[in-house]
Amino acid sequence: MKKIPEAVGPYSAFRKAGDFLYISGQIAINPENQQIEAVTVEDQARQVLENLKAILENNGLSTGNVIKTTVLLDNINDFVAVNNIYAEYFTEPYPARSAFAVDKLPKGVLVEIEAIAYFGK
């Protein structure tokens, strides 16, 4: 089982409900030491997506099972950079996605991504 980051509050990192896996917003926490080490938005996006991938794999799923994501950005100008990293993790048919710039993200990170995955085909 791959390590995943601990939740930074009173919530679950993920929950299974029926045929769906709901993954809480993931930030760039290194699951080995529970620290945020990535500085650039690209490195943070990669760590976030690795965390999502680990949660999926621990539940017998892959990024191909993801049907919806929500991307939260500290700065909308980082959209292209995050999108380029995101494209390394998902293939067609891509998940539905929303992306927003928000005022602040937990622990001062630059990107947070949540996901919904489907266990069926």
Side-chain angles (χ1 to χ4, degrees):
M1 187 175 253
K2 288 188 175 184
K3 285 187 120 180
I4 62 170
E6 296 172 8
V8 296
Y11 62 90
S12 298
F14 62 90
R15 289 290 307 267
K16 183 180 182 206
D19 289 337
F20 295 93
L21 183 69
Y22 295 85
I23 302 173
S24 295
Q26 296 296 302
I27 59 176
I29 295 175
N30 178 337
E32 295 298 322
N33 60 20
Q34 304 303 315
Q35 299 297 312
I36 297 169
E37 300 169 334
V39 176
T40 68
V41 71
E42 293 88 353
D43 288 343
Q44 285 192 16
R46 190 167 277 109
Q47 181 66 63
V48 166
L49 289 160
E50 285 296 321
N51 294 346
L52 280 172
K53 187 175 161 190
I55 292 169
L56 290 164
E57 290 174 355
N58 285 350
N59 284 278
L61 300 173
S62 72
T63 56
N65 294 93
V66 175
I67 59 171
K68 171 73 168 76
T69 63
T70 303
V71 177
L72 304 170
L73 300 166
D74 181 64
N75 184 334
I76 198 66
N77 293 323
D78 289 333
F79 179 82
V80 172
V82 171
N83 197 53
N84 289 337
I85 303 301
Y86 183 96
E88 295 174 15
Y89 287 83
F90 296 100
T91 58
E92 290 187 32
Y94 298 110
R97 180 179 73 184
S98 300
F100 304 95
V102 296
D103 184 42
K104 299 278 186 251
L105 289 167
K107 301 199 174 272
V109 297
L110 304 174
V111 60
E112 178 176 354
I113 301 175
E114 65 178 20
I116 301 169
Y118 181 59
F119 283 95
K121 293 287 176 186

